[in-house]
Amino acid sequence: MLRFFAPLIAPLVGLAFVCALLWAVLTTPHTPVVPSAAEAFHRAPRAIHYSFDGPFGRYDNQQLQRGFQVYKEVCSACHSMRLVAFRDLGGIGFSKPEVKALAKGWAIETPSLNPDTGEPATRKSLPSDTIPSPYPNEIAARAANNNALPPDMSLLAKAREGGPAYIASLVTGYRDVPPALKTAFPDFTTPPGLHFNPYFANLNIAMPPPLVADDQVAYADGTKATREQMAEDVSAFLMWAAEPKMEDRKRTGVAVVAYLILATLLAFGAYRNIWHGKTH
């Protein structure tokens, strides 16, 4: 008798285990997940069309030059671009004399000291220099920004989810805390020194609003400098800084795809020619 039931023991044990598992799942009370304030009120970046979108997109040098002007006059007060050399700006249409003139607008600290004051000596930047930080070190940067370290902007457009659209949305997204948020989350606060911005991950950001009004920058090409225009221009410039070879990569990709299509057609033609009339 025992030998008759022995083969059934393992399946019965397995069935009992499955039944116990199903019973535990079905009878366990499920606590509803309540979203946090950041999850409920965080916004995705605005849908913004850039000239470099898509496989055939190209940078607009005029827009990039306007974006550099916004960076120079607004963003460079807090943010460095230590991976971008001044001579790289020739890639967005600036001539060599213009690059030299732009470089001279920044001062670079040298290892030596001023013999008269004892302070670090400085010199005018050269085209070969990278865009420096406005602060001598991280401690000074944090001290000037409520203990928040302004990130280097060289790769910012590639380092942030949403890319340039996120940057453009963020710098124009500052506003008062909406009443709906206060109602849904009475404990939510924006601490002193921080600013409410629904495009930032936790809604409170240390960076003050950088673009506070239209015409904050006077564009050399006469373009109307609205806040949205300045945001889109500087975010496009930061995209170029993060990926200056994008156009070359796209051209290479199109050439490779065209080659593969041609090679496929030739291979198919050769196959048809070789096996024409063959029987299997």
Side-chain angles (χ1 to χ4, degrees):
M1 181 67 72
L2 183 59
R3 285 188 301 174
F4 176 76
F5 287 105
L8 300 176
I9 293 176
L12 289 174
V13 171
L15 180 61
F17 177 78
V18 171
C19 291
L21 183 62
L22 287 174
W23 176 260
V25 171
L26 295 175
T27 58
T28 301
H30 295 281
T31 304
V33 178
V34 179
S36 64
E39 293 170 334
F41 286 87
H42 178 259
R43 291 188 179 183
R46 295 186 287 114
I48 301 175
H49 171 71
Y50 292 94
S51 64
F52 48 81
D53 289 339
F56 302 103
R58 299 174 59 85
Y59 288 122
D60 178 354
N61 279 354
Q62 267 198 315
Q63 182 181 43
L64 300 184
Q65 291 182 19
R66 293 196 303 267
F68 172 73
Q69 186 178 351
V70 176
Y71 166 77
K72 179 176 181 292
E73 297 185 22
V74 179
C75 308
S76 65
C78 297
H79 299 273
S80 63
M81 295 190 76
R82 64 176 181 271
L83 299 181
V84 178
F86 290 103
R87 63 188 174 194
D88 295 334
L89 297 175
I92 62 175
F94 287 114
S95 65
K96 289 185 178 180
E98 288 174 327
V99 169
K100 289 183 179 179
L102 290 171
K104 288 182 180 179
W106 270 270
I108 300 289
E109 286 192 1
T110 64
S112 59
L113 298 179
N114 188 314
D116 298 324
T117 64
E119 297 292 330
T122 61
R123 62 170 175 80
K124 296 294 184 181
S125 296
L126 301 173
S128 57
D129 291 320
T130 58
I131 300 177
S133 170
Y135 306 106
N137 50 59
E138 180 179 333
I139 297 175
R142 290 187 180 277
N145 292 277
N146 197 29
N147 202 39
L149 180 65
D152 181 84
M153 283 187 154
S154 305
L155 302 176
L156 197 64
K158 296 289 287 184
R160 297 294 186 268
E161 184 177 359
Y166 165 76
I167 295 173
S169 300
L170 182 74
V171 297
T172 56
Y174 293 83
R175 62 202 63 189
D176 294 331
V177 179
L181 192 156
K182 294 180 179 179
T183 301
F185 299 92
D187 295 335
F188 177 84
T189 59
T190 297
L194 300 183
H195 309 270
F196 179 77
N197 192 317
Y199 296 101
F200 194 63
N202 66 3
L203 306 183
N204 290 324
I205 185 172
M207 181 178 70
L211 302 177
V212 295
D214 294 346
D215 298 319
Q216 188 172 337
V217 172
Y219 281 143
D221 64 1
T223 300
K224 176 65 176 175
T226 63
R227 291 175 66 244
E228 288 73 20
Q229 183 68 56
M230 291 185 287
E232 292 180 21
D233 290 344
V234 74
S235 61
F237 169 71
L238 294 178
M239 185 63 194
W240 168 82
E243 197 167 3
K245 301 298 183 182
M246 177 193 287
E247 292 180 357
D248 294 338
R249 178 174 56 80
K250 289 182 177 181
R251 282 193 290 266
T252 301
V254 170
V256 169
V257 170
Y259 169 79
L260 292 175
I261 292 174
L262 179 61
T264 300
L265 293 175
L266 291 174
F268 181 73
Y271 163 79
R272 292 293 300 274
N273 184 59
I274 293 173
W275 291 97
H276 180 70
K278 298 286 185 178
T279 58
H280 297 282

